[in-house]
Amino acid sequence: MSGKFVIKKERTRYRFELLDETGEVVFKGSVNTTKAAVERQLKLIAEFGDDLPNHFQAVEGRIGNTWVIRGEEHSAREGEQGRVGDAIPLGFGVLVGDKEEVLATKDRIVAAAKGATVEDQTGE
C-alpha cells in the first residue's frame, strides 16, 4: 500500500501533501520557497528507507492538551522525542488530537510514504 506525494504551489510558496491509498491527505509538508526544496524533502523521505518511522513522532500541539505527528530530518541525537536540536521539520500530520489518536496515524503516514509516487501540480 503506497500513497502519492503531490507538489503544490500556494501563491509564491511550495509544499507537498501526502495522500494515502484512498486519496485522503494524511501529511502536509512544510512550506518552502522553491520547488527544488520540496523535491529535496521528498528525496530525503525516500532515502530514509526502513528508518522512516523514526523520523515521525508525536509532539505537543499549539493548543493545550493536543498532539500532532511531526516529520523531521535529523542527523544527530535521533530519538529524543521532539527535543532534537538540529532537526529540520519536514511537515506535520493533518490530525490534531490526543496523543493516542495521533500516534495511531503514524503507521498510516509511514505506509503511504513508502514507495509513494510523486505528482507535480505546480504547472511549472
Side-chain angles (χ1 to χ4, degrees), residues 14-15 19 26 30 44-45 86 96 104 108 111-112 116 120 122:
Y14 299 84
R15 78 179 327 161
L19 286 67
V26 293
S30 56
L44 279 170
I45 291 170
D86 63 347
V96 176
R108 189 170 167 203
D120 184 348
T122 63

Side-chain angles (χ1 to χ4, degrees), residues 18-88:
L18 174 61
L19 286 67
D20 66 7
E21 66 278 353
T22 67
E24 183 179 344
V25 176
V26 293
F27 189 81
K28 287 190 172 204
S30 56
V31 177
N32 290 283
T33 56
T34 65
K35 185 168 87 169
V38 172
E39 290 168 339
R40 177 186 164 275
Q41 287 180 322
L42 298 181
K43 183 179 177 198
L44 279 170
I45 291 170
E47 290 174 353
F48 290 153
D50 291 339
D51 193 41
L52 181 61
N54 295 329
H55 292 270
F56 294 99
Q57 60 190 359
V59 295
E60 288 187 79
R62 294 181 190 179
I63 303 168
N65 298 322
T66 63
W67 293 77
V68 66
I69 293 291
R70 174 183 161 131
E72 55 191 28
E73 169 197 4
H74 42 76
S75 56
R77 299 184 357 226
E78 293 184 18
E80 291 190 20
Q81 296 297 310
R83 296 178 295 281
V84 180
D86 63 347
I88 299 169

